[in-house]
Amino acid sequence: MTLKNIKIKTIGLHTSIWIGYSLLIFYGPFTFLPLKSAMLFGLRALTINAVIFYSNTFWLLPKYLFGGRPARFFLIAAMITAATASINYITEPYIITGVNDRTHQTNEPGHQPAEGGDATKPQMDQPMDGNKKMPPPSPFFIPVRIHPMIINGIFSSLGMLFISTFFFLIMRDRELQQKKLDLINQNLEFEMKFLKSQINPHFLFNALNNIYALSIIKAANTPDMILKLSDMLRFTIYDSDNQRVKLGKELTYIKNFIDFQRLKMDTEPNLMVNIDQCNNELTIEPMLLIPFIENSFKHSHIENTQRGWIKLKINTEGAKIYFSVSNSVLPTTISRDVPGGIGIENVRKRLELLYPGKFDLKIETHNDVHSVKMVIDTDKH
């Protein structure tokens, strides 16, 4: 923690707290001291406590206690406590003015000592109850009287050291949590870039082959497929680097992806798609939906038009996006990757980080059916 980390919002919060604290420490002296003395008393307490608070928070704790030198921390803390007590004691005659002193009261003209004794000496030897006298003080007893301002300085500094340490620990924990979130976010970005570097060349290779085949037969939809490929590459390279994209762009990417998957098949696949009932103006994290769809095409055996199938549905209600995709899982003797993998795990981590408490994701495989159901609440996100 450094002073550079303090933001304007934090400065405003600190200022408000110190104003409230000053009102508390000014109130007590006002009840029994003259105005000037009360102001000086409160100003002294406020200044000393503020110096202790920030010195301990930004210097002593990070440099010594959490810097591997605890002995020096406690030594300096003890010195601060002693210095505070000394300042309180030394400055008291200059602050507490206009208050009658008991010593002066006893020396005023007209003041008479008690009859039969000296007013300046304790009446230890005066008779009590006839012939009884007070016992003389023990020779081993040494009376020690600590000035109230010294006691006040000790407890005040110790209390502020405790408060500032507690504040430091809270702020330190918040910084560690923020660093952890930043690290997770960076790791997710690295994973996302890694996935792009793997998926894009493979997909691009297949797409170009399909377009080439269309051009050979001079298919009428060849220009259209080239434009779709261009849109997909633009979305992947540029739009997916943004924090948010419109749902309409994500859906366009999905439609283009499905169209290229159809090109690879000789016959119409058993594919049911319903993604037109959506509010395209909603915003969403890019590339959150496509990994599940890619996974379905990879593991559904969609090329088997008799047994392979995929059902995809995306719709919106208010600010919520409802996504569901299911596909066949056919037994095969060829070893293939299980549904999921780094792409699906990456999406789960991104959802936990970017939509905490605002999403629901269920992935199940049952009776040769693999299904994914997800709800994302984009409200106030």
Side-chain angles (χ1 to χ4, degrees):
M1 184 186 302
T2 62
L3 289 172
K4 293 181 180 179
N5 293 336
I6 300 182
K7 299 179 181 178
I8 301 219
K9 188 176 180 181
T10 306
I11 293 175
L13 177 62
H14 281 235
T15 303
S16 302
I17 292 175
W18 283 114
I19 290 175
Y21 178 74
S22 64
L23 293 176
L24 290 176
I25 62 176
F26 276 101
Y27 173 76
F30 270 128
T31 60
F32 62 88
L33 292 178
L35 177 61
K36 180 180 178 181
S37 296
M39 294 290 292
L40 292 174
F41 185 92
L43 185 61
R44 179 187 66 180
L46 181 63
T47 303
I48 292 176
N49 287 333
V51 170
I52 293 175
F53 181 90
Y54 291 110
S55 297
N56 189 45
T57 302
F58 298 106
W59 176 50
L60 287 179
L61 288 169
K63 185 174 182 179
Y64 295 111
L65 186 61
F66 290 91
R69 291 181 284 181
R72 184 165 295 186
F73 167 81
F74 289 108
L75 176 61
I76 297 176
M79 293 172 62
I80 289 176
T81 302
T84 304
S86 301
I87 292 173
N88 281 8
Y89 178 75
I90 294 171
T91 59
E92 186 200 12
Y94 304 97
I95 292 178
I96 311 299
T97 58
V99 181
N100 292 331
D101 189 284
R102 290 184 178 181
T103 303
H104 294 163
Q105 289 178 1
T106 58
N107 293 330
E108 290 179 355
H111 180 80
Q112 299 295 330
E115 184 178 353
D118 189 346
T120 61
K121 295 180 182 179
Q123 305 297 318
M124 292 295 183
D125 296 329
Q126 297 299 321
M128 298 178 62
D129 298 335
N131 296 325
K132 292 183 180 180
K133 295 183 178 182
M134 290 283 293
S138 169
F140 300 102
F141 175 75
I142 303 176
V144 177
R145 181 176 180 273
I146 301 177
H147 196 279
M149 285 296 102
I150 295 179
I151 297 176
N152 176 273
I154 292 174
F155 281 96
S156 175
S157 59
L158 289 177
M160 191 51 60
L161 285 170
F162 174 81
I163 292 174
S164 57
T165 300
F166 184 71
F167 172 81
F168 174 84
L169 293 176
I170 293 177
M171 296 302 296
R172 186 169 181 264
D173 181 69
R174 288 182 59 184
E175 285 189 0
L176 291 175
Q177 292 297 328
Q178 186 60 47
K179 289 180 180 179
K180 183 178 179 180
L181 289 176
D182 291 342
L183 182 60
I184 292 174
N185 194 27
Q186 289 178 6
N187 289 337
L188 289 176
E189 290 180 2
F190 291 149
E191 287 182 13
M192 198 66 187
K193 291 179 180 178
F194 174 72
L195 289 173
K196 290 179 184 179
S197 67
Q198 284 188 318
I199 295 174
N200 289 345
H202 177 71
F203 176 81
L204 180 61
F205 177 78
N206 289 332
L208 288 174
N209 277 341
N210 292 330
I211 293 175
Y212 175 75
L214 291 176
S215 66
I216 292 295
I217 63 175
K218 298 181 180 181
N221 62 337
T222 303
D224 183 53
M225 298 306 296
I226 294 175
L227 288 177
K228 288 184 178 183
L229 178 60
S230 176
D231 289 340
M232 294 184 70
L233 292 176
R234 185 182 299 109
F235 180 83
T236 305
I237 297 173
Y238 298 108
D239 293 337
S240 63
D241 287 334
N242 298 327
Q243 291 184 344
R244 303 287 185 274
V245 296
K246 289 186 177 181
L247 180 60
K249 286 190 174 183
E250 184 91 359
L251 295 180
T252 298
Y253 182 91
I254 292 172
K255 291 177 182 178
N256 292 338
F257 174 83
I258 293 174
D259 287 342
F260 274 101
Q261 297 299 320
R262 293 179 187 270
L263 284 180
K264 298 191 302 182
M265 304 173 195
D266 298 329
T267 58
E268 181 64 22
N270 191 1
L271 180 62
M272 290 156 279
V273 179
N274 182 5
I275 60 176
D276 294 324
Q277 306 300 317
C278 295
N279 179 2
N280 293 331
E281 296 302 313
L282 292 180
T283 58
I284 188 175
E285 281 287 319
M287 307 294 285
L288 274 180
L289 308 179
I290 192 64
F292 297 109
I293 300 171
E294 291 177 338
N295 193 63
S296 291
F297 276 96
K298 182 178 180 181
H299 298 284
S300 64
H301 295 270
I302 191 68
E303 66 278 0
N304 186 336
T305 56
Q306 299 298 320
R307 302 179 61 188
W309 56 268
I310 295 176
K311 294 180 181 179
L312 171 64
K313 183 179 180 180
I314 305 174
N315 65 292
T316 59
E317 291 183 10
K320 293 184 178 181
I321 300 174
Y322 293 85
F323 172 89
S324 65
V325 61
S326 57
N327 60 268
S328 56
V329 180
L330 304 182
T332 178
T333 57
I334 303 175
S335 176
R336 301 186 63 169
D337 295 336
V338 295
I342 186 172
I344 303 303
E345 193 60 32
N346 179 280
V347 173
R348 189 189 297 275
K349 291 178 182 177
R350 292 174 68 200
L351 287 168
E352 292 173 353
L353 179 64
L354 302 168
Y355 298 92
K358 303 182 73 173
F359 78 95
D360 182 44
L361 175 63
K362 295 181 180 179
I363 303 176
E364 298 177 337
T365 301
H366 183 66
N367 292 336
D368 298 331
V369 176
H370 179 75
S371 64
V372 177
K373 293 183 179 179
M374 178 169 60
V375 180
I376 302 176
D377 186 357
T378 63
D379 186 34
K380 296 180 182 180
H381 181 65

